[in-house]
Every structure is written in structure tokens, then in C-alpha cells.
Amino acid sequence: VEGAVFGLYSAQNIKDADGNVILPADSLIAQVESGEDGKAVFRQDLAPGKYYVKQVKAPAGYVASSEVI
């Protein structure tokens, strides 16, 4: 569906090579909106770690999903 907004979040504290936290858990990294083809693509250069995606906003006439991907 076109027009849905998704957020990319850190699922854990992301640390640098020295063990310093560079991105706290549950930080919003980026948001993207799905295009005409219904795809939402994140193009961030991410440090090793765990991340998740969730819908931030639904298009008009739809209800946002609370599912974490």
C-alpha cells in the first residue's frame, strides 16, 4: 500500500569497537514512506547489531499495524 510510513529502530544498544554506546536501544534511526509499489526501502549504513522496523503511520483509510518486524 502506498503512503505507509515505517521507522527503523535499534533493538539493542549499538556499540563501537571500544564498547562505547553510539546508539541507545529503541532509537529511531530513519523513517521511509512506501511508494506506489508498496515497498519501503531503508538505505542506511548500519553498524553491526540488531534492529527492527515498525509502522509509524498508516495511509488515509487504513489502520496502522502494531506488529514489529
Side-chain angles (χ1 to χ4, degrees):
V1 175
E2 180 180 7
V5 179
F6 296 90
L8 174 64
Y9 298 83
S10 56
Q12 62 188 39
N13 287 339
I14 305 300
K15 300 177 181 180
D16 64 14
D18 296 323
N20 300 310
V21 175
I22 57 174
L23 190 63
D26 297 315
S27 294
L28 175 63
I29 299 164
Q31 288 186 353
V32 295
E33 185 173 329
S34 58
E36 289 181 9
D37 60 1
K39 294 180 182 178
V41 179
F42 292 95
R43 300 192 185 277
Q44 281 61 36
D45 188 18
L46 301 173
K50 294 183 180 182
Y51 300 88
Y52 64 92
V53 173
K54 68 179 181 180
Q55 189 174 17
V56 175
K57 181 183 172 192
Y62 290 86
V63 176
S65 171
S66 60
E67 181 180 2
V68 173
I69 304 170

